[in-house]
Every structure is written in structure tokens, then in C-alpha cells.
Amino acid sequence: MTADLASRIQRVQGALADATIDGLIVTPGSDLRYLTGYDAKALERLTALVLPQAGDPVLVVPALEVAEAKRSPAALAGMDIVTHEETDDAYAVATAILSGAGRVAVDDHMWAQRLLTLQAAYVDVTWRAAGRLLTDLRMRKAPDEVASLQHAGAAIDRVHRRMGEFLKVGRTEREAATLIADAIVAEGHVAADFVIVGSGPNGASPHHGVSEREIESGDTVVIDIGGSTQEGYRSDCTRTYAVGAEPPAEVTEYYEILRDAQRAQCDYARPGVTAESVDRVGRTVIREGGFGDYFVHRTGHGIGLETHEEPYIVEGNQLVLEAGMAFSIEPGIYLPGRHGARIEDIVVTTDDGLDRLNTTTRALTVLAG
Ligand code: ZN
Ligand code: ZN
Ligand code: ZN
């Protein structure tokens, strides 16, 4: 881990040099966690990694949080920590480390209030968003990151295997979701990030959360769930179930088309093909099956320390996939007002194909209810 952090810092410094940027300031969030291992809370006091293009990185932290910061992997590996007291100007402490800098990048998620304070105090600096520069690193997963994603995938698979305990006729979506969220934690996550229980017509809304609707016999139910592990890596997996009875014949018909599409995409995606072509492969299968108008979202998103990150598997993204990229393949078919289905696996590209990190059956499973 520590060697990894050192190499991440070095690669960022190389990217800063290439972009002729003198330094980088990263506030709490997944970028900070990626570069330091520090899962700092975003509070009103300034916590930041300050990284000169050449020179040692410094973790700037409020004095009252220094004990936490010292337990972070970066600090344990020897990264310098500078603290500020309640009455200090924390921004002056941070920018002193980059004195003389002309161009400074900040993480994409820095609060506007922080950036505005920096801009007001340091008028001679040209500010840049660090997004692309950090994304280029973060979307290429190291082996230990892939292992963390595998653990997360196995944990969420265990929850899907237990779905018969949670989806019952007469239970509301919200009641089912509460039980599922508990299971997400019990099966190996530190937190449930989201639980979508889309029963019956609610399954036709891809980002439906939960509602007070009671599950009825014969309902098709879309379950899209994810959580975060101790190391910060995320799971995200969708399966579609029928509860209490076989689903309507129409659902069975389009479900097979959906399954063919998702399988075709998983067979196709590999290093050397573009992100958008993976989307097209699935869309073509669904269109030729007659349901093209009902696949209303992109195929997928990258995943790592965030549930949605690069690379996005969407028309227009000409990024060429490389080994070690992690993303979802999650086509869906949604008939508004009636029902819907989605199949989602997290995959990681290997040298010549991909590994699926979710392995539970992709068949439409009928639960006793
Ligand atoms: Zn989503
Ligand atoms: Zn999902
Ligand atoms: Zn997803």
C-alpha cells in the first residue's frame, strides 16, 4: 500500500509537470483517499493534501484532527503533516507550501467556498481543475484495487443470494430495502450506499429508490444495490426477480433479449475496443429484438472509490479500454407504467477480455414470495 501511494504521488507529479502546473491542492473526498489513504471528513476546517510539482507532499490538517491524520496510510508511510490551530489562517498555511506557484490545480469536488477563498487570497495564481489528471490515474486500477473490488463484488453477491428472505408479497419496497441495507453491511460492507427496490411499474424507472408500494404476487422487481468496503471500494449489482408467481409473458420475452445483450457486451468488451462500442453492441441486440426505444440510459460507469467514475460506457466516449479498467455493464429495458428489467455486473478488463466480479445467476429468478 505504501509503495503504491508513493508511486501514485510520483505519477501525479509527472502529470503536473507535463501540464506545466506548479502544484495541486486536494480536499477531502475520493481523490484525497486515493492519494493518501486518508478518509477525511469534509468539515468547515480545512484539510488538504498540498502537492508541489517537485518536492514533498504535505497533509494540512486542523490541529484537533491530527491524531486521525497520523493514522492514515500516507502519514504512516512518512508523509509530512502540518497543522493549523483554530485562529490560524489555514489557507495561508496551505498555500505557503506552494509559494511562488503560478498555476495550481484543485480537485474537482473542492467546495466553491474553499476555491473562492483561495482565489481571493492568491490573485496571481491561475487555477485549474485537476479532474482529467487524476481520472487518468484512477481509472487504471492496480492489482490491490482490483482485489478490493472483487471483495466488494463477492459481498454484494451474497446479498443477492439471500433475496428470497427480503422480497415478500405484501411487504413494502421500503420495508424490503431496510432489510437489504442491513444485509449489505452484514455481508461485508461498512455501509450500504444505495438500495433500489423497483417493484412492478416502479421497475420501469431506472433510478427509482424505494416507495411505500406493497409488492404484489407476480411482480417483476428490479433490485440494484451497492455498498462500500473497509478500503473504500464500492459494489454495485442489479438483478431482476419475479415474486410469488411467474412474471408476465411479455417480461419473459424481453428479459431474454436483455440477457443476450448483456452477455454480448461482456463477450465483446476487452482492451483495445472503445467504451462507446461496448454500448453499441448491447444497444444493437436490444434494438433488433424490438425494444430499442426502451433502453433509455448508457450501458455503464466506472467504479472504484466512487460508485460512478470514469470510464463511462456511453455513445460518444471514444476512450480505448485498457487492462485494469473497472466498470459496470448494465443494460435495461423499461416499459413505462408497467415493468422493467436490468442486469448489471461489475467487470474488470484483463489482458485479453474481462472478469466479471458478480457471479450470481443472471436468469430472471422467481422467488416464492
Ligand atoms: Zn446508476
Ligand atoms: Zn447499479
Ligand atoms: Zn451501476
Side-chain angles (χ1 to χ4, degrees), residues 297-320:
H297 56 69
R298 66 189 179 206
T299 284
H301 53 83
I303 188 167
L305 290 169
E306 286 177 272
T307 308
H308 286 191
E309 57 180 50
E310 302 270 8
Y312 292 101
I313 310 302
V314 62
E315 183 65 40
N317 186 3
Q318 288 159 16
L319 175 84
V320 175

Side-chain angles (χ1 to χ4, degrees), residues 194 224 236 238 330 344:
F194 59 91
D224 186 352
D236 182 5
T238 309
E330 52 174 309
E344 173 178 28

Side-chain angles (χ1 to χ4, degrees), residues 148-166 178-192 225-231 233 235 358 360:
S148 293
L149 286 165
Q150 279 167 339
H151 290 145
I156 209 70
D157 281 1
R158 287 193 289 274
V159 180
H160 271 296
R161 284 196 191 93
R162 292 177 53 192
M163 205 51 63
E165 295 172 39
F166 314 127
T178 301
L179 299 171
I180 294 167
D182 288 346
I184 289 173
V185 174
E187 294 295 349
H189 299 85
V190 292
I225 51 180
S228 34
T229 61
Q230 190 71 49
E231 307 87 48
Y233 287 82
S235 62
N358 301 109
T360 63

